[in-house]
Amino acid sequence: MGSRLVNIGFGNSVVSRRVIAIISPNAAPVKRLRDDARDEKRLIDATQGRRTRSVLITDSNHVILSSIQSETLAQRFNPEGALSMRGLDE
């Protein structure tokens, strides 16, 4: 599988195969994860000052903030949609 760039908002892109998780930013553990990444210089803020709507975790342990909804980003990473994710919601 080749590398593919995925738009995460405002002209910012990530290499799809490097992202291991796309999560909602609202839970307390995610806020701690974001704070830890900031302290350790692993945080990348791609929100352009907008509200954070999703958090991406990479295989290099970087944390990327995006102002695009997690569901929208998941569709961009997986254009086939829910069909190829069958069984994960069951």
Side-chain angles (χ1 to χ4, degrees):
M1 176 161 102
S3 295
R4 182 170 75 93
L5 289 176
V6 176
N7 183 341
I8 60 166
F10 302 106
N12 299 302
S13 300
V14 295
V15 177
S16 61
R17 65 182 172 86
R18 301 293 304 266
V19 175
I20 59 172
I22 303 170
I23 54 180
S24 173
N26 301 326
V30 178
K31 291 178 182 176
R32 281 193 300 272
L33 179 74
R34 179 174 39 189
D35 292 341
D36 290 347
R38 179 178 290 116
D39 293 343
E40 297 170 11
K41 309 276 191 259
R42 296 182 290 110
L43 182 71
I44 300 168
D45 187 348
T47 63
Q48 301 290 353
R50 309 297 199 293
R51 179 175 155 216
T52 299
R53 295 179 180 230
S54 61
V55 178
L56 294 85
I57 311 298
T58 67
D59 60 355
S60 63
N61 209 23
H62 283 82
V63 176
I64 304 170
L65 308 179
S66 174
S67 60
I68 306 292
Q69 292 280 3
S70 331
E71 296 83 8
T72 303
L73 286 179
Q75 290 174 349
R76 291 180 185 182
F77 277 83
N78 185 16
E80 293 82 31
L83 293 176
S84 61
M85 295 181 68
R86 184 169 292 157
L88 294 180
D89 294 341
E90 298 172 358

